[in-house]
Structures are given as C-alpha cells and as structure tokens.
Amino acid sequence: MSEDMMRTFCGNLGLDASVIKDGLNLYREMKASHSQQDLSSSMEYVICLHLAAQKNGHNLDLTKAMKVSGSKSKPKYQNAYRNAQKLLKIKSTLNLKEICLKVGMNDPGIIEETRQAFNLYKNSISKKYGEENINQLDFTKPVYLCAAVHAIGKFRKLKIDADILSSLAMEAKKDISKYSDEMLTLITEASKAKKNGGREALKSLQEEDVPSMENEDDNRKRKCEEENDLDEAESYKIWKN
C-alpha cells in the first residue's frame, strides 16, 4: 500500500521513478521512529520523496511540493522538512561548487568569484555585528550559498534559474534575493573601489584583506631600508656640522 502511494505522489510531483526506493526507505524509517510531528500522510510521503530527490541530485520545486503535500504555507512545509532531516539524521552536503554546477556556472574563475563574494559577505556581517553575534548565524545554510551564486549571476549578467536555487536552499526566491541583493551591493562597491589596471578587485580583494607573508616581508624590508636611509642622512648632518 505504502509503495503504491509513494508511486502516486512521485508521479504527482513529476519526479523520476528512481527516487521511489529511497523515498520508501525514508518513509518506513520515519514511521518506525514514532515521531510526534503530527503530519498528514500526504505530507510524509512528499517530504520523504523530496529528501530522496535531493539525495539523488534531482530538483523539486518548493511550491509544487507544498501544494501536493497539502501544506497551507511554505514556512509550515519548510519546518516539517527540516524536522524530518533532523529526525532521519540527514545532513545537507551541498557546497558552493556543487550549487554553481547545478545552475550551469561551470567556469572555475566564476566559481572562485562566487566563493570570494560569499566570504566578502561574511566579513561584512562580522564587522557590522561583531564576532559574538556572527557566531550565532549558520553560514553553512544553503540559503547563503545560493544567494552568493545568485549575486554573482547578476553581477556577471548570467542567466541563473532561481527555481533551482529555491529548491536547493529550501527557501522562497524572495528570501534568497534578499541576501543576494546585499551581496551584490558589496560586490559592486568592491569592484568599483578596487579596480587596478583594468583588473577587477573582487579577485584581488582576498589578497588585500588577508596579506601574505611575502607582502609582510616586503613591507618590513622596505621599512628597514627607509630607516637606514634616514640614519645615513642624520649621520651626514652630524659629520657636516
């Protein structure tokens, strides 16, 4: 019975039938846990299929999942989904590179810029709110990673499928846009302020924010040379008088 229901919901969601087996295993595990989540059977089936789809690299539109599950709101569905993740001990394995590849951003240089944009945002939030408050935020959440991808897509005028990002982040597109707009502002300001010889500063930003040992050695050497020049000048003055 449960397998037939799983197959029916899989078809309603437009998912590949290959996820049914994993979805069914998750469903049985959820039922065996005797969880008190008070979810409808349709919600349980859809969430297990959603988790199975993510595991197998398939995207599922959040709006469609919500409607098929019978959930009255996205926040309610998102909360049930995350609780199921915790219950089944499923951790998100998404990383920045994987998200970039899923939306067609295959260029290594663009992926690196996305990573730097993400770090730029973290540094900005840290400076604004302080280290203690920043530690309360979980920047490993997919929403921040997806926002960085979205921001670089806008910055580079690349066509990015926001529906895929929404599915990966398990967040509404407007929530991703909120963070990506903040990141885009930082990226644009950094690029304008730090352009040097035609090279965009986003790529050199990290080098300036985190000086290398080689730069420190050069600065130290230059300082010593300046001090030596000053000593020679002072000595000449004393000798002349």
Side-chain angles (χ1 to χ4, degrees):
M1 177 68 177
S2 57
E3 185 172 354
D4 291 337
M5 290 295 291
M6 190 69 72
R7 194 174 298 277
T8 298
F9 277 103
C10 185
N12 291 340
L13 292 167
L15 289 171
D16 192 278
S18 62
V19 305
I20 292 176
K21 183 179 179 180
D22 283 337
L24 192 57
N25 289 335
L26 291 172
Y27 177 78
R28 288 168 177 163
E29 188 179 340
M30 181 184 286
K31 300 304 279 185
S33 70
H34 303 294
S35 169
Q36 300 297 318
Q37 289 198 73
D38 193 28
L39 300 177
S40 65
S41 58
S42 59
M43 181 83 87
E44 290 176 336
Y45 280 117
V46 171
I47 286 176
C48 289
L49 282 167
H50 199 162
L51 289 167
Q54 292 281 34
K55 176 185 175 182
N56 289 278
H58 299 289
N59 296 314
L60 176 58
D61 181 67
L62 182 58
T63 301
K64 179 181 282 189
M66 181 197 74
K67 289 180 179 178
V68 174
S69 72
S71 177
K72 294 181 180 179
S73 68
K74 282 184 180 179
K76 183 177 179 180
Y77 180 85
Q78 290 168 318
N79 187 53
Y81 179 94
R82 292 187 182 109
N83 287 338
Q85 275 185 314
K86 292 177 183 177
L87 176 69
L88 298 169
K89 298 178 181 178
I90 298 173
K91 292 184 178 180
S92 175
T93 58
L94 280 175
N95 57 52
L96 203 54
K97 182 177 180 180
E98 186 178 355
I99 296 172
C100 286
L101 295 177
K102 282 183 178 292
V103 295
M105 287 170 50
N106 304 320
D107 187 287
I110 296 295
I111 294 174
E112 174 61 17
E113 284 189 25
T114 306
R115 185 184 68 79
Q116 292 184 12
F118 176 69
N119 288 335
L120 176 62
Y121 180 73
K122 283 203 303 182
N123 292 337
S124 173
I125 295 297
S126 178
K127 290 176 182 177
K128 187 174 181 180
Y129 298 106
E131 288 294 339
E132 291 184 5
N133 294 323
I134 200 70
N135 290 334
Q136 298 177 11
L137 296 176
D138 184 3
F139 282 109
T140 63
K141 286 183 177 179
V143 64
Y144 294 111
L145 302 176
C146 288
V149 172
H150 196 230
I152 286 295
K154 285 183 178 180
F155 183 69
R156 290 298 182 191
K157 294 180 172 56
L158 303 173
K159 189 175 181 180
I160 302 295
D161 192 333
D163 288 329
I164 293 179
L165 293 178
S166 176
S167 174
L168 294 173
M170 276 298 298
E171 297 283 354
K173 286 184 280 188
K174 66 177 182 180
D175 294 325
I176 296 175
S177 293
K178 172 190 171 184
Y179 296 117
S180 71
D181 287 346
E182 292 175 1
M183 293 181 188
L184 181 60
T185 298
L186 292 171
I187 295 166
T188 304
E189 289 175 353
S191 179
K192 287 179 179 178
K194 298 178 180 290
K195 276 185 179 179
N196 184 14
R199 184 179 66 176
E200 295 199 7
L202 185 60
K203 294 182 179 181
S204 63
L205 182 65
Q206 192 177 35
E207 296 173 8
E208 294 198 15
D209 286 345
V210 186
S212 66
M213 289 302 295
E214 183 179 351
N215 289 339
E216 290 181 3
D217 290 341
D218 289 343
N219 291 336
R220 195 179 295 112
K221 183 179 179 182
R222 191 179 299 110
K223 186 177 179 181
C224 288
E225 289 174 351
E226 290 173 355
E227 288 176 352
N228 289 338
D229 289 343
L230 183 63
D231 289 343
E232 290 176 5
E234 289 295 331
S235 298
Y236 177 76
K237 268 186 181 179
I238 294 170
W239 174 81
K240 188 176 179 182
N241 293 333

